[in-house]
């Protein structure tokens, strides 16, 4: 892979491999499943038959098991189908391997890295970061955009003549990284947050233009930029992104194109994903939404996994049952939470096999609290932006030739002479109110003091505690109980305070159930760190004079009754072996009003996890931080030669420097939303965050009475963690630390040690 470096800071590329088809069974083995193909999926690429949509070719290739990961390869010629048909029936794995080798290009080649124009080496957020290591590291993360910004490589898709899975886009994209070589919808929400902090406004603009092109072409924004994603969306974040862009840049000219398209997207959700529901609590009919994908075949990008989930049931499912489960699986992917016990009828705790839990998927019957909150927030922001646009187009005095205005947040101006935007604003405010009412009616539990999903099968609230319950406050939906009652507000955050003390990693863990699914314990995802802090910030605005707490963390017994939905004894342990020397709270949060103190603590955990996992996978900072010696890097199990620190897509709530795991693919590195949230958290809370402490867990023999040990490269680490240069004898920094790692494969093993 060619890496274009536009920054003086040295870093190495996220390793990207192009998988070579490689059979795992004898080549003359017949491909399984022949003769039993799913129905044609009309929605895939708008009814056009492609090699990437459900059909004989896709199934035979995927079930031949040539790749360790089911993501389809990219790029092929139009006569591929003819070549495939020439194979005839009863094909073998060997025939498919040869066919793939000669007809498909490697994945990830259709988008190429490009030099960033206008890269800002030292964006203003760096001035806000007090710790020198965090400052230097944030600057490195800032430069990682050079690895993730891509544009369509026309030649790799034969200038549009290849039958490629890529949806070609007119503007640069930012990919998440790893196996994700294409744009992703909801990831882009946090990527844009980071681009704005990095002052890469043009790339944020490009991203928004791509989103608008999607709406123009399809009426909605697909899950990602591949044709096989054209039957579903992801959490509707476009309006949130647009709002963030306009507020930071003050550029309202984008609204001219964006507002009608944002309305179109909202209409798509209204037409395809909303329904009315009678509340069992108030008997009122409320407007609700769900994830619900019309699909009766395996997800092309998870073909083997879905096929095995659906065909491995006992007793076997009939055609209707199969179609229904395929639809549930696709709907889970639309939620972005693919997959979670949140969506299951039975939260099966089987960490080594996802299938039993997935066979109980019931997501279409669930009204997700985060989706409902997001739709409420989207409509509210859209109404404000209609007003803002009306004001800016009517005002000549405040407008300049480029249309750049000062940021105008939460405009409520009432305009009547703007070609109908006032009516639009009124409509969207009504919609916002309707969704907000539904959140408060169905999802808010005043006794448990938290928001939960609503399950239409049981006609009751779910009792699975998740960080999705923080989204209503993020979107400014506040129950009356939380207003003017600080005790009630503290009750709301009681679970968050407990988890802060209970686990050493990022406390906004996806759920408290350890199921082996991607969006369950112990995985903590960057979006939830951001949205949980945003909820704390809302409380900070509600309680500007909030008290300071002598103990921010609390025992389980002080958590609002039933809030966590799980007994203390059933909670997963915090393995002592993964804490090391990490202190669970930071000095800088003390004496602050509790909403701010919580935000600082959560931001600290996040930066600690992202930084320490980067460091333990080879990260180094010239002049400040020496790379760990090879013996220790190798012990982490996530180091490859030449690597200089990776950014994981998700983290482990019980371990400061470990990635999350589980799910249907191995943990990915890159990583768009991780970097975005680092830049956001460092920019917003960097002035409070102390020097990172990574776990000092010795794996090599200690010397000097156990206070120091020698690295093979001649560096020594003293008892305080300062790294000392062997030749000069000088400590390179007085605030450094050492990250000794325990040899372990993953979190599971650490828990087993308990
Ligand atoms: O291939 C499996 C699934 O991969 C994606 O989901 C995961 O990664 C996405 C990109 O970072 C992220 O948006 C999503 O929340 C993750 O669960 C993809 O979005 C799924 O559709 C796909 O089935």
């Amino acid at each position: 892979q060619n890496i274009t470096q536009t920054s003086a800071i040295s870093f190495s590329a996220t390793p990207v491999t192009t998988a070579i088809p490689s059979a795992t069974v004898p080549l003359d083995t017949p491909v399984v499943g022949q003769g039993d193909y799913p129905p044609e999926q009309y929605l895939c690429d708008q009814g056009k038959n492609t090699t990437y949509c459900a059909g004989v070719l896709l199934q035979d290739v995927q079930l031949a098991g040539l790749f360790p990961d089911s993501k389809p390869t990219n790029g092929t010629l139009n006569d591929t189908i003819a070549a495939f048909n020439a194979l005839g029936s009863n094909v073998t794995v060997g025939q498919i391997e040869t066919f793939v080798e000669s007809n498909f290009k490697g994945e990830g080649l259709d988008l190429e890295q490009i030099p960033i124009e206008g890269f800002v080496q030292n964006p203003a957020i760096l001035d806000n970061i007090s710790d020198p290591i965090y400052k230097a590291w944030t600057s490195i993360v800032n430069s990682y955009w050079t690895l993730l910004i891509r544009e369509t490589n026309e030649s790799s898709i034969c200038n549009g003549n290849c039958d490629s899975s890529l949806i070609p886009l007119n503007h640069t994209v930012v990919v998440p990284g790893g196996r994700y070589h294409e744009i992703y919808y909801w990831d882009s929400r946090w990527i844009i947050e980071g681009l704005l902090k990095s002052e890469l406004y043009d790339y944020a603009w490009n991203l928004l233009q791509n989103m608008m092109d999607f709406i123009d072409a399809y009426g909605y924004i697909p899950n990602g930029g591949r044709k096989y994603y054209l039957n579903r969306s992801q959490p509707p974040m476009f309006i949130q992104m647009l709002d963030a862009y306009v507020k930071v840049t003050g550029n309202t000219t984008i609204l001219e194109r964006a507002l009608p398209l944002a309305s179109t997207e909202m209409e798509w959700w209204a037409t395809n994903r909303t329904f009315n529901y009678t509340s069992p609590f108030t008997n009122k009919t409320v407007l609700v939404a769900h994830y619900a994908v019309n699909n009766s075949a395996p997800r092309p990008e998870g073909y083997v996994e879905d096929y095995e989930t659906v065909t491995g049931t006992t007793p076997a499912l009939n055609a209707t049952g199969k179609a229904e489960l395929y639809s549930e699986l696709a709907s889970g992917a639309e939620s972005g939470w693919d997959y979670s016990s949140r969506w299951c009828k039975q939260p099966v705790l089987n960490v080594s096999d996802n299938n039993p839990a997935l066979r109980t998927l019931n997501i279409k019957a669930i009204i997700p609290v985060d989706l409902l909150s997001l739709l409420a927030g989207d409509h509210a922001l859209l109404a404000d932006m209609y007003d803002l646009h009306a004001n800016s187009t009517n005002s000549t005095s405040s407008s300049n030739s480029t249309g750049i205005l000062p940021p105008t947040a939460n405009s409520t101006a009432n305009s009547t002479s703007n070609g109908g935007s006032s009516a639009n604003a009124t409509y969207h405010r009504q919609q916002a109110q309707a969704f907000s009412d539904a959140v408060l009616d169905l999802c808010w539990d005043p006794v448990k003091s938290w928001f939960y999903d609503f399950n239409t099968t049981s006609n009751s609230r779910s009792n699975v505690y998740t960080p999705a319950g923080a989204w209503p406050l993020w979107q400014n939906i506040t129950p009356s109980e939380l207003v003017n009652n600080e005790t009630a507000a503290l009750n709301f955050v009681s679970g968050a305070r407990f988890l802060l003390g209970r686990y050493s990693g990022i406390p906004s863990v996806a759920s408290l159930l350890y199921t082996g699914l991607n969006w369950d314990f112990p995985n903590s995802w960057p979006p939830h760190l951001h949205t949980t802090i945003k909820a704390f910030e809302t409380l900070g605005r509600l309680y500007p004079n909030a008290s300071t707490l002598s103990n921010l963390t609390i025992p389980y017994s002080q958590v609002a009754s039933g809030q966590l939905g799980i007994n203390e004894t059933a909670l997963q342990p915090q393995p002592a072996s993964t804490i090391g020397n990490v202190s669970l709270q930071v000095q800088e949060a003390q004496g602050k009003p509790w909403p701010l103190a919580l935000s600082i603590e959560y931001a600290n955990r996040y930066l600690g996890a992202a930084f320490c996992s980067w460091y333990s996978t080879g990260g180094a900072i010239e002049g400040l931080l020496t790379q760990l010696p090879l013996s220790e890097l190798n012990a982490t199990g996530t180091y490859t030669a030449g690597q200089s620190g990776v950014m994981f897509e998700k983290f482990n709530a019980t371990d400061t420097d470990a990635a999350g795991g589980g799910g249907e693919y191995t943990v990915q590195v890159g990583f768009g939303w991780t970097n975005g949230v680092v830049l956001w958290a460092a920019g917003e809370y960097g002035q409070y965050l102390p020097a990172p402490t990574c776990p000092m867990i010795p794996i090599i023999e200690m010397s000097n009475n156990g206070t120091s040990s020698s690295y093979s490269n001649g560096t020594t680490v003293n008892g305080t963690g300062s790294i000392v240069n062997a030749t000069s004898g000088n400590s390179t920094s007085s605030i450094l630390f050492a990250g000794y790692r325990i040899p372990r494969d993953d979190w599971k093993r650490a828990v087993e040690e308990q």
Side-chain angles (χ1 to χ4, degrees), residues 204-523:
W205 186 90
N206 282 353
L207 215 158
L208 290 167
Q209 295 298 333
N210 286 326
M211 296 291 165
M212 290 187 250
D213 289 347
F214 277 138
I215 303 173
D216 233 355
Y218 307 110
Y220 71 101
I221 299 173
N223 180 143
R226 296 276 165 191
K227 289 174 183 167
Y228 49 76
Y229 285 139
L230 281 172
N231 66 353
R232 61 175 187 262
S233 190
Q234 261 195 332
M237 293 286 176
F238 171 65
I239 291 167
Q240 307 280 327
M241 296 185 226
L242 181 65
D243 173 70
Y245 173 84
V246 170
K247 280 188 176 135
V248 170
T249 63
N251 182 352
T252 57
T253 54
I254 196 169
L255 296 177
E256 189 68 31
R257 179 175 187 220
L259 291 179
L261 290 168
S263 292
T264 301
E265 193 205 12
M266 288 296 95
E267 275 317 294
W268 184 87
W269 282 88
T271 308
N272 297 288
R273 299 290 187 266
T274 63
F275 58 103
N276 289 321
Y277 194 75
T278 305
S279 163
F281 308 117
T282 60
N283 218 25
K284 285 184 187 158
T285 299
V286 287
L287 179 65
V288 296
H290 63 164
Y291 295 108
V293 180
N294 187 359
N295 173 64
S296 54
R299 290 165 301 140
E301 80 286 6
Y303 205 100
V304 177
E305 292 81 357
D306 286 4
Y307 184 84
E308 284 174 356
T309 304
V310 171
T311 57
T313 49
T314 317
L317 293 168
N318 62 20
T320 312
K322 282 183 184 172
E324 191 45 41
L325 187 46
Y326 283 131
S327 169
E328 287 287 334
L329 286 158
S331 304
E334 182 169 78
S335 77
W337 287 53
D338 41 329
Y339 293 94
S340 169
S341 54
R342 237 185 122 182
W343 312 135
C344 295
K345 279 191 194 127
Q346 293 160 30
V348 184
L349 309 180
N350 183 348
V351 295
S352 53
D353 184 4
N354 287 341
N355 280 329
L358 294 178
R359 290 179 187 133
T360 76
L361 277 173
N362 190 36
I363 182 169
K364 292 196 291 183
I366 290 171
I367 299 167
V369 59
D370 41 2
L371 174 61
L372 226 48
S373 307
L374 190 56
L375 287 169
D378 283 351
H379 282 289
L381 290 174
L382 191 51
D384 284 351
M385 284 191 277
Y386 267 112
D387 282 343
L388 174 63
H389 181 56
N391 272 356
S392 58
T393 49
N394 283 341
S395 158
T396 46
S397 55
S398 57
S399 174
N400 63 23
S401 58
T402 59
I404 307 287
L405 298 170
T408 313
N410 303 319
S411 166
T412 52
N414 185 19
S415 172
T416 50
S417 57
N418 48 54
S421 68
S422 192
N424 280 318
T426 305
Y427 166 74
H428 288 294
R429 282 209 176 91
Q430 281 164 354
Q431 291 298 99
Q433 190 63 52
F435 283 121
S436 172
D437 289 346
V439 170
L440 293 170
D441 188 325
L442 295 178
C443 304
W444 168 242
D445 189 320
V447 176
K448 296 179 182 173
S449 197
W450 193 249
F451 292 95
Y452 301 87
D453 297 326
F454 186 88
N455 188 325
T456 62
T457 306
S458 60
N459 200 27
S460 64
R461 271 182 216 112
S462 156
N463 59 5
V464 180
Y465 177 91
T466 74
W471 282 33
L473 256 64
W474 172 37
Q475 295 300 321
N476 295 310
I477 302 168
T478 314
S480 56
E481 289 89 343
L482 296 190
V483 181
N484 296 325
N485 185 345
E486 196 177 345
T487 307
L490 279 164
N491 242 359
F492 180 78
V493 296
S494 58
R497 292 172 66 191
F498 166 72
L499 293 173
L500 178 69
R502 168 87 184 186
Y503 297 116
S504 66
I506 306 166
S508 44
V509 61
S511 86
L512 298 173
L513 301 174
Y514 181 32
T515 62
L517 297 174
N518 212 7
W519 291 80
D520 273 326
F521 194 91
N523 290 348

Side-chain angles (χ1 to χ4, degrees), residues 151-193:
E151 71 179 9
T152 306
N153 178 345
E154 293 293 339
S155 70
S156 90
I157 56 168
C158 322
N159 297 313
N161 292 321
C162 279
D163 180 22
S164 168
S165 64
L166 186 77
I167 304 174
L169 291 167
N170 294 325
H171 304 275
T172 57
V173 304
V174 186
V175 300
R179 74 199 283 266
Y180 301 114
H181 310 285
E182 53 276 319
I183 195 170
Y184 278 80
Y185 184 11
W186 82 314
D187 296 51
S188 301
R189 166 67 186 82
W190 292 280
I191 286 172
I192 248 190
E193 195 75 48

